[in-house]
Structure formats: C-alpha cells, structure tokens
Amino acid sequence: MLPSLLPLPLRRLAWLAALGCASASAQNSLPELNALGSQWVQSAIGQGGAGGDEALQSLPLRMEVHVGKLDARLQLAPCNQVEPYLPVGSKLWGRTRIGLRCIEPGARPWNVFLPVTVQAWGMGWVLNTNVNAGETLDASSASQAEVDWAADTSPVIALPEGWVGQTAARNLMARQTLRQSMVRPAEVFAKGATVKVLAKGAGFVVTSSGKAVNGAGVGETVKVRMDNGRLVSGTVNAQGDVETGM
C-alpha cells in the first residue's frame, strides 16, 4: 500500500513505478505484450490513475477500459524485462495510449505503443432538442442521463445551475452531452452598447464610460473603446459594469 502521507502527484508516480516493476519479467510475444498492457491499465485504473485530476477521483464514475492490440506486423527483439508506462503528457482518460519498452540490460532496446480507450460513466445532462448559437437554455432544454465523461476533453456540466440561463456558444444538437465549452453566460450588453467602466486602484475607483467592442456576460472579458479612443479590457461584474485595473 502506498504511504498516504505522500502528496498526490508523488503517490501517483509511486504506484505507476510499482506497477511497472511488478510487470518487468514478461516475455515479448505480441499476445503476451497485449495482455501485459491490459493488466497494467486495469491495475492503474483500480489505483485511481484515471483522469489525472484529484477532483475526478472523488466522483461516482463507473470506469470501463478497452485496450487495443499492437500491430501484428511488429517484429520485436527478444526481451525479458518489459516496462509498461504512461507517456509524458498523457492520462488514462478517453482515447489515449500507453507505452511498452524493453529495459533489459544488454538487450536490443525497443519502444511501442498500445491504444487504450477509458470511459467514465456518470450522471450528466443531455440536450432534448437542437439549440442554435446564442439561444438561452432553460430547465426544459436538457434531461439527466448517464454519459461518458471521458468522451471529450471539455468537462461535463454536472449541476443544472451550470447551464440553465446560459446561452449556447455554438449550434448544439439533440442528444449531445452538455459540457462547459458549449455554453456561456447570457449577454448583459451587446456589441456597441454604452457601458460603465470602473477603473479600480488602491483605495479608489474612477468611473467613466465607453462603447463595448463585443457583447459579454457576467464574468467574461470585454474590450471597451473609451471616449478618448483608448481601448481598455476588463471583466463584466454582476451589475453589468466593466471592471478594470489601473
């Protein structure tokens, strides 16, 4: 068992290393390598390696793993120490891959990759109808369903407050799973609107006005052309004003 006092990144590195060492004596026929890779991935998922995100580990997701096969045309040199590993920048989430490499001293080195698909099933929201870009979603726009959280890089929206009252960032299709990249806050003002600009400094606020270069909603960044022609950038606050630093 890994020491619980280790920070999470170190614990993850520790169990990955342990899994690789435990599998280091496999032969390298293609069926055996496929089986080695599959066993390693299943063990890694069981140890909490999916997603690489601590917040995801706490979610009640049902994991499914589909491991592909190495190209049958591969001709690999004999090796008695094969190490499975997760390539740098990769994670066990969605369509991904793991590496298998020969680390036997004195053997002819090789390195191959095994395709892997990790599905993470949990509750989300699925659109009931098509939604055009710019349309506002209401409570009837989507229904709860079990969805694959790992099917896309954009996070699933788990709670209704994350999409009810938001607008579609692009044209959306019925049966699509709602994800963060699909919605944006409803516009507080449109392009060309006159807006109040609050320039905040240490203990003071300077109020002025200008024309919005783009429409924006609460929490979004907007550019404003001031009366003197200067272009400033700020964030829309809950009152619909644009706050910018000095």
Side-chain angles (χ1 to χ4, degrees), residues 13-245:
L13 287 173
W15 62 250
L16 282 172
L19 287 170
C21 291
S23 305
S25 61
Q27 295 297 317
N28 67 314
S29 72
L30 294 186
E32 287 174 328
L33 290 175
N34 291 332
L36 171 61
S38 180
Q39 180 183 14
W40 187 88
V41 172
Q42 296 286 355
S43 297
I45 295 293
Q47 298 262 357
D53 186 327
E54 186 173 7
L56 289 172
Q57 309 307 327
S58 62
L59 293 172
L61 299 177
R62 177 172 57 83
M63 310 303 295
E64 289 186 7
V65 182
H66 306 276
V67 182
K69 295 182 179 180
L70 297 171
D71 190 329
R73 295 169 296 179
L74 283 173
Q75 299 290 326
L76 301 175
C79 181
N80 290 312
Q81 284 187 282
V82 178
E83 177 187 57
Y85 69 97
L86 191 63
V88 175
S90 300
K91 57 184 179 180
L92 295 176
W93 191 255
R95 294 175 63 88
T96 186
R97 63 180 185 169
I98 66 166
L100 296 169
R101 58 192 171 197
C102 177
I103 59 170
E104 181 182 3
R108 182 178 171 185
W110 48 259
N111 186 45
V112 294
F113 295 97
L114 190 63
V116 176
T117 300
V118 178
Q119 295 176 303
W121 296 97
M123 297 307 295
W125 295 88
V126 175
L127 286 169
N128 295 323
T129 60
N130 296 344
V131 180
N132 294 324
E135 288 185 357
T136 300
L137 282 72
D138 60 31
S140 66
S141 299
S143 301
Q144 270 197 308
E146 188 180 50
V147 300
D148 179 11
W149 283 54
D152 191 274
T153 55
S154 179
V156 168
I157 301 175
L159 302 175
E161 48 264 40
W163 58 269
V164 174
Q166 302 276 301
T167 60
R170 59 179 185 272
N171 290 338
L172 304 176
M173 303 293 292
R175 302 181 65 83
Q176 274 188 294
T177 300
L178 279 172
R179 296 178 180 272
Q180 292 178 13
S181 62
M182 296 179 177
V183 298
R184 54 176 291 176
E187 285 191 352
V188 175
F189 49 76
K191 176 182 178 180
T194 299
V195 297
K196 183 188 294 185
V197 178
L198 307 176
K200 294 189 172 184
F204 66 91
V205 178
V206 177
T207 303
S208 55
S209 64
K211 298 285 187 182
V213 175
N214 56 282
V218 174
E220 293 190 307
T221 299
V222 61
K223 292 183 183 298
V224 179
R225 190 168 298 282
M226 308 303 292
D227 293 339
N228 62 6
R230 187 166 66 97
L231 197 64
V232 301
S233 180
T235 303
V236 182
N237 65 19
Q239 290 71 47
D241 302 327
V242 178
E243 296 185 3
T244 183

Side-chain angles (χ1 to χ4, degrees), residues 3-13:
S4 59
L5 296 179
L6 282 175
L8 183 69
L10 294 182
R11 294 207 307 272
R12 186 170 291 120
L13 287 173

